Each structure stands twice: as C-alpha cells, then as structure tokens.
Amino acid sequence: MLPATITPLAASGSFLITPNVGLMIWTIVVFLISLSILRKWVFPLIGEALDKRAKTIEGDIDAAAQLRTDADKLLAEYRERLHEARGQADEIVQRARSTAQSHEAEAREQAQALIAEGKARAEREIAEATRRALAELRSEVAMLTVMAAEKVTRKSLDESDQRRLVEEALGELDFSALSAGGQGHPANN
Amino acid sequence: MSAVATAPPAGVSTPTQGAPKPAAPNQGTPKQGMSKGKKVFLSVLAAWIGGIVVFVILFGIKPHKAPDVVSGVFSPTNEFKLDTWFKLGPVAFNKGVLYLLITVAITIGLMTYIARRLKQRPGRLQVAVEMFYNFTRGMSRENLDEDMQRKYFPLIATIFVFILVSNLIGYIPLPVDSGETFKLFGASIPSFQIYAADTNVAFPLILALGVFILFTYEGVRHHGPFGYIKSLMPGGIKGPIVGLIFPIEILSNFLRLISLTVRLWANLLAGHMLIAFMGGELGVLVGDQYVQWALLPFGVGIYLFEAVLIAGLQAFIFAILTAIYLGGAVESH
C-alpha cells in the first residue's frame, strides 16, 4: 500500500515524503539497541525498585495500622483504668466521709455520755452534801434544843427527855426549804 | 473618587461617637498601578509594535527579496533535506543519523544513569523517570493481558521514551544545517537549526512497520491465519453485508500502518516548518523585514506549544496505539 502511495510523489523529487532507506536502517538498528539495553538493564531495575518501594510503603501502612490499633487499645485501656481510678477515688472519698460521720457520731455520743455521767455524779455529790448538811443541822438543832430546854427548866434532862424534845423540835422544823433543787424532803432522809 | 465621595452624609452619626464618621482616604477608590504580568505584557507588546514601525521606517514596505529567493535557490524545505556528510563504506552519515545517535545516547545514558542510582528517596529526575515508568506500565495493563504485558511492556516503554527524546531534542537548535554555513575563525560551520529525526518519514515508518508486523504476528499466533482475518470483522455482522464490510476492515487494518506513520511524521514536520516560517522564513520569502519581526511572537508561541505539548503527546499516542493494536490483535470480537 504505502510504497504505491509514495512512489509517484517520490518520483516527483519531493525528498520530504520519500523515506530515506538509510535512515530507516539506522532507526531500526538504534531502536533495537535501545530496546535491548533498556529491557535488560534498565526496566527490571526500575520495576524492582518500584515494587520494593511499594512493598515498603505497604509494610509501613500495615505497621501504621497496627500502631494505630495498639494505640487505640492502649487508649481504651487507659480510659478504663482512669474510669476505675475515678471510681476508686469516689469510693475512698465516700468511705472517708462515712468514717468521719461515724467518728463524729461516736464522739458526740461519748461526749453526751460523759456529760450525763458528770451531771449524775454532780447530782449525787450535791445530794450527799445536802444529806450531810441536814444531818449536821439536825444534830446542831437537837443540841441547841436540849440546851435551850435545860436553860428553861433549870435542870438537866435525862436521855429520854432529851430524845423526846429533839424529836418534837425536829418534827416541828421544816427542812424542805433547805433541800432546793428537788432533792427530796430532808425529813424523809 | 475622593474622600468626600466616600464620607457618610452630613448629620449621620455613629451610635458610639455621635459624630460623623471620618472617611477612609483610599476606600472605594480603584486599585492604583498595574500587575507585574500586565506591565511585562504591555512592554512586550509595545516593543513588538515599535519594532514593526522601526523596520517599516528602515526598510519600507517594499519587498526586498534576497537573490536566492528570487532565483528559487532558497527553499524553506531545504533544511529538511538529508545531505550525506560522509560515508563509511555503504553506511552514510547525515543529520538524521546524528539526531538518531543523540537520541539513543540520551535515552540509554539517562535511563541507565537513573536505573543505576535508584534511591529510596528519589530526586526530581528519578521521580520523572518513575512517573514515566508507572504511566507506561498502567497503559500496558489497560490494554494487554498478563502474558502480553510481560512480553511487550519493554517495547511500548522504549517506543515512548525513544520518540519522546527524539522529539524533544528536535527543539534544541544545533549547527546541522549543512546547506547554509557561516564562517567562524575561518572555518565553515553549518547554520543552527531545529531538526528532528522523525521529520523524515523513514523514522516513524520503520517503527510503525515494526508495530504492524508484531501485532499481525500476535494476531495470527493467537487466532491462526484465518481466525485472525475473521477476527478483523466486527462481531454480529452476517449476511451479504459481510462482503462489503470485510474489505473495509482489511483496508483499515493496513491503514493503521499509514495513520501511525503519518500522524507522528506530519505533526513533527508541520510543527518544525511552522516554527521556521513564523520564526523568519516567511519574511525572507516575501522579502519584507517587518514581516519577520511581526511574526516572531507567533513563532515563539508555536515553538513553546510544540515543545511542551506536541512532543510528549505524539510519543504518548504512538505508544498507546501500539499497546491498543497489540491488545486488540489477541482479543476476539
């Protein structure tokens, strides 16, 4: 086809469209040399390097994905631990609060007991002191009564008279006013 | 525009100050000065127009044709003529051969240099070569099966890089125009010109012929001689129309050889001729000096267009058509 197309034009002397046979041979020779060298020594090296890099990148991506998974796992673990620690801290605070409250209640109870005990002891001591005072007062009154009766009668009284007089005098006296604070009637003691 | 124009109307007070807002001096005014690009463009335009005027003043608009043009000795196509420089036995050397040798030296030198110094962290040149490799491998994968790809990827990649380098060096002016010489220190030096081996039809023709033989061989090997001829027919065509379609398909198969050849050759030849014409030859032919100056920017524009786009595009088209033809030869309709 082609030579038939070209021949008349070539015959007209137009070198532009006449294939230069020498150049054709040169072209095919240098092209085949290029092809054989590139195929043998260049393309395999480039292909190998690109494949190697692709594998490295793949490996890096896998490693990065693994790292990411590990990091996520670690993060979840830390979060869990943090959650646990917060729970523990809350529990400790709660426990401390309840302990403090129980200690406070205990201390209050102890203080109240101590107060009550002190109060009871004081009351007992007051009552004892009152009783002793009343007894002393009674003996004083009795002695005074006897002395008064002896002076009035100008005679000594015997023991039965003295007892009777004391009894009468004491019976007439009201000691209730002395036992203030509801400590019971002294006459009853 | 002035400050008065942009000031708020009298009596309009701002809520905070209760006084008229002072006008910003530059607010609303058009941007002063031109961008750097616009300045450069206008300067070049002015130089171009000024140059035309100067040439017209100096030489007038009357043609001053050179004697060689008048006598018909000078022809712009002469620079594509392959004059034999010397012979070694039956082997003739000319500028086409020189360009082929430069092409093969750069192709092998560059690719081997990169391949021997491949680094894990590539430099710019290595990135470019790797991009080319991946691009060509992708092109092969899309059109060829695994076996064919392993077999023909080196061929497709070599075609691509070989034509690309050949095209690109075709835009570097070299002293190869033996038809026009100049004297330097007494020696006759060929004039500088831009030339590419594939502006001669021999270059693309032999490559296209090789591709044609290869895909025909693969088709015959895969389908058998009659099977291959049958496979050229589109599927689903039956009846008397087969007699009409079949010769067309056979013809179109052979036309691949011509289209593959002419596409590369004509693009490169036309591109180089356009650059030469616009770069001054048209001015020489018509004999008007100002025409040379007037067309120079177009020459530069076409040069850039050819070097940046056409050189790579034509190499790519030749390579991908090779892959398509090879892939198509072994697949059934």
Side-chain angles (χ1 to χ4, degrees), chain B residues 37-113:
Chain B
K38 201 172 176 182
K39 278 181 186 170
V40 171
F41 173 74
L42 287 177
S43 305
V44 171
L45 188 67
W48 180 60
I49 294 169
I52 294 172
V53 173
V54 168
F55 273 100
V56 169
I57 291 167
L58 287 177
F59 300 101
I61 53 169
K62 196 179 170 188
H64 298 80
K65 285 189 181 177
D68 280 357
V69 175
V70 176
S71 62
V73 173
F74 173 78
S75 167
T77 56
N78 282 348
E79 63 186 80
F80 297 98
K81 210 170 188 177
L82 290 179
D83 295 327
T84 301
W85 290 345
F86 59 91
K87 274 190 168 185
L88 287 176
V91 183
F93 282 87
N94 51 43
K95 65 183 168 194
V97 176
L98 176 69
Y99 270 80
L100 277 175
L101 294 177
I102 295 172
T103 300
V104 75
I106 291 176
T107 304
I108 294 172
L110 183 72
M111 297 297 278
T112 312
Y113 175 81

Side-chain angles (χ1 to χ4, degrees), chain A residues 2 15-17 19-20 23-24 26-27 30-31 34-35 37-39 41-43 45-47 49-50 53 56, chain B residues 77 80-82 91-92 96-97 100 104 118-120 126 130 133-134 154 157-159 200-202 205-206 265:
Chain A
L2 193 67
F15 57 88
L16 279 178
I17 52 173
N20 185 303
L23 193 63
M24 281 175 85
W26 272 106
T27 304
V30 296
F31 179 79
S34 303
L35 175 61
I37 290 173
L38 296 185
R39 185 163 68 175
W41 288 303
V42 174
F43 294 141
L45 287 176
I46 297 174
L50 287 175
R53 191 184 302 153
T56 310
Chain B
T77 56
F80 297 98
K81 210 170 188 177
L82 290 179
V91 183
V97 176
L100 277 175
V104 75
L118 288 170
K119 292 171 187 166
Q120 198 68 9
Q126 188 180 328
E130 285 176 0
Y133 185 91
N134 279 327
T158 307
I159 284 176
N200 190 292
V201 72
L205 177 62
I206 192 66
W265 166 67

Side-chain angles (χ1 to χ4, degrees), chain B residues 1-10 21-25 27 29:
Chain B
M1 296 292 283
S2 66
V4 176
T6 54
K21 193 179 177 182
Q27 203 177 9
T29 55

Side-chain angles (χ1 to χ4, degrees), chain B residues 115-192:
Chain B
R116 298 277 165 198
R117 286 168 182 76
L118 288 170
K119 292 171 187 166
Q120 198 68 9
R121 289 186 178 183
R124 284 179 189 175
L125 198 58
Q126 188 180 328
V127 167
V129 171
E130 285 176 0
M131 274 174 67
F132 153 76
Y133 185 91
N134 279 327
F135 182 68
T136 317
R137 194 155 64 171
M139 194 197 299
S140 303
R141 275 185 191 146
E142 281 172 18
N143 294 292
L144 303 172
D145 60 32
E146 196 64 37
D147 285 344
M148 287 283 282
Q149 200 189 121
R150 213 175 5 257
K151 198 171 172 184
Y152 286 110
F153 164 71
L155 174 79
I156 294 164
T158 307
I159 284 176
F160 195 168
V161 71
F162 190 77
I163 295 175
L164 180 66
V165 172
S166 172
N167 288 354
L168 286 175
I169 62 167
Y171 296 104
I172 302 169
L174 293 175
V176 290
D177 189 359
S178 50
E180 301 289 334
T181 58
F182 64 94
K183 294 279 181 189
L184 186 70
F185 303 117
S188 280
I189 310 290
S191 297
F192 281 81

Side-chain angles (χ1 to χ4, degrees), chain A residues 84-101:
Chain A
E84 276 175 17
R86 275 183 186 157
Q88 284 176 355
D90 287 348
E91 196 184 320
I92 288 166
V93 169
Q94 192 62 34
R95 205 183 302 153
R97 195 172 287 152
S98 64
T99 307
Q101 281 172 351

